[in-house]
Amino acid sequence: MTEDSNLFIKALMMVFSSYDALHNTLWEIVGLSLFVSLWAIFFAALIGLPLGAIIASSRFKGRGVVIIILNSLMGVPPVVVGLVVYILLSANGVFGLFKLLYSPTAMIIAQFLLITPLITALGLQIIENLNEEYNIQFLSWRLTLWQRIKTLLVEGRSALLTVLLAGFGRAISEVGAVMIVGGNIEHSTRTMTTAIQMEISKGNLELAMALGIILLTLAFIINALAHFFKTGQNKIRQNKGGRKF
Amino acid sequence: MSKISSSDRILELDNISYNHENHGEEMPALDHISVSFLKNKRTFILGSNGAGKTLLLYICHGLLKPSAGKVILKKQEMRQAMVFAKPTLLRRSVFENIKFIMELHHSDKNSHQQILKILKEFDMEQYKDTPARHLSSGEQQRLAVLCAILLKPEILFLDEVSSNLDPHATLKMENMIKDCSKKSMTIIMACHDLNQAKRLADIIIYMEKGKIIEQTEAKEFFTKPKTKQGFNFINGILS
């Protein structure tokens, strides 16, 4: 057996065997990563989806500029977001009194800021298309802006779920921002990505590989779910004419 | 037409014009239209494609603002509903579509039983859990009309609602329209099916190129049209 395959088997043992010394450490890191990213996606969905729906279904001065800014924010490097959050939360920063730096809350804030523009911009595109399709009917029903937004969010649920999965994928695989604001502290702010980076630099490739396997599996699950929902959405579109083909 | 009193009028258009913008140039789509619609009557707007029938309905229903002229409703807050040539149903089951409409305009909570009763009344019980967009064109259109009826409109606008339906589905649709009349709804319908107009219409408004050419009682229009254009339209003569 080669050294590489030995490493892979040891990593798998670490993932599945509770007798392994690092098994508990590994799952603690996975747990924290999921905790941070799920809260970040929850808050991003809470803000980003209604915001996208409001922009999509209303016409106001400067709307084009708002959309350009949102699209630009989608591509902001995570380290820049990390730096901004670091400055705001550091002892001398605006929110320094809350003492949030190097805590999971700081990591949630950083991931939230990173993925909210993505969720808003992608959600906006989906809802804009739906709004165009339903516009005349909604006008006829005399829906208020709030009723329109609520209905559009429900109507676009499958596609919007795909957007949330894409946002979650970006959040959980992110390393730069959480490293800066979390500090990669053991048993406190160590996530899968920051741990992988550190274990590689220490030469502890087994733990890094085990975390890599879990991260890849998560990525696969997220993509499979996204594919599942996208296929479902396409089937609905095909049936738009009313017939089941 | 015999003389009509103002109390019979439910909706009036006063010198309505509507212009389309085409490469910066204003093109008249509706040209100085003045017409009154009568309460509890079935008024059919006839005319060939592009005559301006749908546009006229959109303006009457308040979906488009006219370039000039006034839309006068008998009272300020009048319940209206419109069914479009291509219905846009929600991506939900038939039951959920009806529930949405009922929740939208009625403050009282609507029970599951009440919706089932409505579905039974309109012979759509078997489609209760079917996604609305999986229904046939005819059933989709019937569901759209049912949703419109549930809004309890005083005026119901119908835009070529049976143009793509087979004879059986058309018959079902016509029965629904007759039932609406029995419930004291004023029906204003755009259509180019002469036989359907003969069967259902009380009054005919005949349009050509954005203008009203003739407004007559249906019987009179089909037996003795007042205008040459009306005569040509009934007899399929190209002008």
Side-chain angles (χ1 to χ4, degrees):
Chain A
M1 230 186 257
T2 64
E3 207 172 301
D4 287 349
S5 52
N6 262 337
L7 181 69
F8 186 71
I9 288 163
K10 278 181 184 172
L12 278 180
M13 290 284 285
M14 198 183 286
V15 173
F16 294 110
S17 166
S18 57
Y19 296 108
D20 195 289
L22 288 172
H23 179 79
N24 289 343
T25 311
L26 175 106
W27 283 106
E28 183 191 79
I29 294 168
V30 173
L32 180 75
S33 300
L34 288 172
F35 174 79
V36 168
S37 298
L38 284 172
W39 274 113
I41 198 77
F42 172 74
F43 288 119
L46 211 63
I47 304 287
L49 292 181
L51 187 65
I54 290 169
I55 300 168
S57 51
S58 48
R59 296 285 171 271
F60 54 90
K61 215 175 173 186
R63 183 176 177 271
V65 178
V66 172
I67 293 172
I68 292 169
I69 292 171
L70 270 175
N71 288 337
S72 310
L73 286 175
M74 276 204 296
V76 168
V79 282
V80 175
V81 175
L83 178 66
V84 172
V85 177
Y86 180 86
I87 292 167
L88 291 172
L89 298 184
S90 61
N92 296 328
V94 183
F95 302 109
L97 72 155
F98 296 114
K99 294 185 177 153
L100 291 174
L101 200 62
Y102 304 129
S103 71
T105 311
M107 294 152 76
I108 293 170
I109 294 170
Q111 287 196 354
F112 164 78
L113 290 177
L114 193 71
I115 58 179
T116 302
L118 177 90
I119 286 171
T120 310
L122 294 180
L124 189 151
Q125 282 169 23
I126 289 164
I127 292 169
E128 200 161 40
N129 289 341
L130 277 175
N131 190 47
E132 209 170 290
E133 182 189 334
Y134 283 109
N135 187 38
I136 207 81
Q137 184 66 72
F138 286 176
L139 282 173
S140 173
W141 284 338
R142 313 287 197 246
L143 295 194
T144 60
L145 181 64
W146 167 238
Q147 286 173 323
R148 181 182 279 252
I149 288 166
K150 210 173 107 186
T151 312
L152 286 170
L153 286 173
V154 177
E155 289 306 288
R157 56 200 178 275
S158 311
L160 293 174
L161 202 54
T162 314
V163 170
L164 293 185
L165 289 170
F168 180 72
R170 180 162 159 88
I172 202 142
S173 59
E174 192 281 318
V175 58
V178 286
M179 181 69 106
I180 294 170
V181 301
N184 193 28
I185 303 164
E186 196 176 6
H187 305 306
S188 172
T189 59
R190 186 161 293 169
T191 64
M192 284 192 277
T193 50
T194 58
I196 288 172
Q197 200 179 46
M198 192 194 69
E199 296 302 333
I200 290 170
S201 63
K202 276 164 60 181
N204 186 5
L205 296 182
E206 287 158 27
L207 183 56
M209 177 68 94
L211 287 164
I213 290 168
I214 294 171
L215 202 56
L216 264 174
T217 310
L218 273 173
F220 175 78
I221 293 168
I222 290 164
N223 276 301
L225 285 172
H227 178 77
F228 172 76
F229 286 118
K230 206 174 166 188
T231 316
Q233 187 76 5
N234 284 344
K235 272 186 186 165
I236 289 170
R237 269 198 208 115
Q238 278 169 12
N239 291 328
K240 209 169 146 188
R243 289 286 184 195
K244 203 172 184 177
F245 296 106
Chain B
M1 271 175 74
S2 55
K3 224 173 176 142
I4 43 175
S5 71
S6 63
S7 63
D8 293 333
R9 294 176 190 148
I10 194 163
L11 170 71
E12 272 182 82
L13 300 183
D14 180 21
N15 212 15
I16 292 284
S17 291
Y18 186 86
N19 298 329
H20 276 310
E21 206 169 294
N22 193 7
H23 301 291
E25 220 176 291
E26 297 266 295
M27 304 281 284
L30 291 180
D31 194 8
H32 297 94
I33 286 182
S34 293
V35 65
S36 297
F37 294 96
L38 303 185
K39 206 176 165 186
N40 300 339
K41 295 278 182 193
R42 291 192 292 250
T43 305
F44 271 54
I45 306 170
L46 294 180
S48 46
N49 291 332
K53 307 184 293 290
T54 300
L55 203 54
L56 192 70
L57 286 188
Y58 276 34
I59 287 173
C60 288
H61 187 37
L63 300 178
L64 285 175
K65 247 183 136 178
S67 309
K70 272 192 298 186
V71 178
I72 306 158
L73 288 165
K74 195 187 168 193
K75 55 181 182 181
Q76 207 71 22
E77 289 294 318
M78 189 174 288
R79 286 192 309 275
Q80 305 176 22
M82 182 160 176
V83 183
F84 301 90
K86 198 177 165 217
T88 316
L89 299 165
L90 299 175
R91 291 168 166 83
R92 305 177 194 185
S93 68
V94 169
F95 184 92
E96 289 294 326
N97 265 273
I98 292 172
K99 196 176 164 204
F100 174 84
I101 291 291
M102 292 188 72
E103 282 174 353
L104 199 63
H105 288 274
H106 305 289
S107 52
D108 54 324
K109 287 279 168 203
N110 298 288
S111 68
H112 187 90
Q113 290 303 323
Q114 205 178 341
I115 298 172
L116 289 181
K117 208 176 132 191
I118 291 165
L119 284 169
K120 199 172 179 183
E121 189 187 334
F122 287 90
D123 195 22
M124 293 193 85
E125 209 182 5
Q126 68 273 33
Y127 303 122
K128 181 172 79 83
D129 298 318
T130 310
R133 293 184 177 218
H134 287 185
L135 295 173
S136 68
S137 311
E139 296 302 343
Q140 279 195 40
Q141 198 59 283
R142 263 176 21 91
L143 178 60
V145 175
L146 171 55
C147 287
I149 293 170
L150 291 176
L151 296 174
K152 296 180 181 161
E154 288 161 80
I155 309 179
L156 178 61
F157 297 98
L158 302 169
D159 184 18
E160 296 179 16
V161 286
S162 55
S163 56
N164 296 318
L165 306 187
D166 62 50
H168 182 66
T170 303
L171 186 70
K172 276 183 165 183
M173 178 64 70
E174 288 181 6
N175 287 337
M176 271 182 113
I177 295 169
K178 283 177 191 165
D179 285 343
C180 290
S181 285
K182 282 179 199 159
K183 288 173 186 162
S184 305
M185 281 181 210
T186 302
I187 311 280
I188 302 176
M189 178 164 170
C191 117
H192 38 60
D193 180 348
L194 290 172
N195 289 323
Q196 188 171 55
K198 269 183 202 169
R199 287 192 296 269
L200 294 177
D202 296 316
I203 295 159
I204 298 288
I205 292 174
Y206 175 64
M207 289 183 74
E208 232 177 59
K209 293 173 188 164
K211 285 183 181 169
I212 291 184
I213 306 296
E214 190 170 338
Q215 183 181 5
T216 334
E217 281 189 16
K219 271 184 191 165
E220 199 182 329
F221 181 78
F222 289 111
T223 49
K224 276 188 286 173
K226 283 178 195 163
T227 58
K228 194 183 164 202
Q229 292 102 312
F231 178 85
N232 287 348
F233 181 73
I234 296 167
N235 295 293
I237 300 165
L238 291 173
S239 50

